[in-house]
Amino acid sequence: MSTGLSEPMVLRDMSGYRQRSLDKDRAIAVLEQTLNLLARPFEAGEAVIAKPSCTVNGLADTLLAVRNNSRALFLYAPLRLFLNSIARKGITGRLWGRELFITTQKTAHVDLGFDDEQLFGQTDLQIAGLAWLAQNRIYEDLLTEHGGDRIASLDSETFLARGAESLARIGRLFALDMDEARAQAIADSAVFRRHSKFGDDFDASKRREEQAAGESAHADEIEKVAVWVETVAEGLNIPIRPSGSIMG
């Protein structure tokens, strides 16, 4: 039915290669060859669905153009939950937030209205918030360019709260042979009780505990930065809640 590829490193490599390459036509040709290799199914008739790192999103328009029959889902965390995740991971999370911002700006060049001096004066969490906002801008541009029949959005909280319904609609987006009963079986399976990165037991209760710990230690900072990002978004006309939700 389908095979999932979790953050294939080659896509990050291709993002960097296209950014550095002076021969853009050559870079596109190499990317097309790479995608052909990634798209090979493990079993006959399978669809291959890759979940790239969000640092690759600056390459998304090119990916959709090169594979013009492909579909994409923009899965995102709401702003305050994203900031919570960054803050509670300490220096590691804050460094990652800056890395995401730098990589996104190198590949997508999203104009957020700040010069270098202004960016240098912003906190780690502000930069992470701008990186989150830049991802929304990229998605909205993709939606305009490629249309709602090829791409859609879904927030993490809706996905977790309405797992079976979300999976059924994702199945239709990717043209998978998955009925409502199959979607429900997957939603009820152990895969939804396992940490996606570390493989240990992880359910909604543990997730809420982690979020509560982040709120307890960083609530004031998170809220102030969230309001600031929302103000920036309003000025730039970037939706805080991305358009084209797969859930309608």
Side-chain angles (χ1 to χ4, degrees):
M1 187 166 123
S2 67
T3 293
L5 304 178
S6 179
E7 300 191 2
M9 183 59 71
V10 69
L11 290 181
R12 292 192 64 171
D13 293 340
M14 286 307 308
S15 180
Y17 174 65
R18 184 168 188 270
Q19 176 191 329
R20 296 188 303 271
S21 178
L22 297 177
D23 186 343
K24 299 305 180 184
D25 290 337
R26 173 62 177 164
I28 293 295
V30 173
L31 175 61
E32 187 168 12
Q33 292 170 1
T34 301
L35 294 177
N36 287 339
L37 291 173
L38 285 176
R40 294 181 306 175
F42 286 80
E43 301 289 343
E46 280 186 333
V48 177
I49 301 172
K51 185 272 176 190
S53 165
C54 55
T55 58
V56 178
N57 284 349
L59 191 64
D61 184 52
T62 305
L63 295 174
L64 288 166
V66 169
R67 302 288 295 191
N68 58 20
N69 62 340
S70 61
R71 311 285 178 87
L73 178 70
F74 179 59
L75 181 62
Y76 68 97
L79 175 58
R80 284 165 176 77
L81 292 184
F82 174 81
L83 295 174
N84 182 308
S85 177
I86 294 292
R88 71 174 185 260
K89 291 172 183 172
I91 191 170
T92 301
R94 291 169 186 266
L95 285 173
W96 183 86
R98 286 190 174 274
E99 177 190 356
L100 176 60
F101 178 81
I102 291 168
T103 303
T104 300
Q105 290 305 85
K106 283 182 177 179
T107 56
H109 310 292
V110 179
D111 184 4
L112 297 171
F114 298 99
D115 60 30
D116 290 344
E117 183 177 353
Q118 291 170 322
L119 291 171
F120 186 77
Q122 291 171 7
T123 68
D124 294 330
L125 216 58
Q126 284 178 290
I127 293 296
L130 289 181
W132 181 91
L133 191 60
Q135 304 297 313
N136 282 18
R137 175 78 281 163
I138 291 170
Y139 167 74
E140 295 294 333
D141 289 344
L142 291 174
L143 187 61
T144 299
E145 177 70 21
H146 299 284
D149 58 332
R150 291 188 65 191
I151 60 176
S153 66
L154 176 64
D155 72 276
S156 57
E157 303 314 285
T158 299
F159 181 46
L160 293 174
R162 300 162 63 185
E165 184 182 358
S166 297
L167 287 170
R169 296 194 182 203
I170 292 169
R172 289 196 288 272
L173 174 67
F174 288 110
L176 304 178
D177 182 18
M178 180 167 59
D179 58 19
E180 301 291 336
R182 178 58 177 159
Q184 187 66 60
I186 295 171
D188 293 338
S189 70
V191 71
F192 273 73
R193 298 189 298 275
R194 188 170 65 242
H195 199 292
S196 62
K197 292 187 180 294
F198 307 117
D200 52 349
D201 292 340
F202 193 78
D203 57 16
S205 176
K206 289 185 178 180
R207 189 167 183 270
R208 285 192 295 270
E209 288 176 8
E210 284 193 354
Q211 291 171 352
E215 290 172 1
S216 176
H218 307 284
D220 182 64
E221 182 185 13
I222 289 170
E223 185 58 27
K224 286 176 178 175
V225 172
V227 171
W228 177 80
V229 172
E230 289 169 346
T231 302
V232 174
E234 183 178 2
L236 296 173
N237 197 30
I238 302 175
I240 285 293
R241 186 174 181 84
S243 312
S245 172
I246 200 169
M247 301 301 284

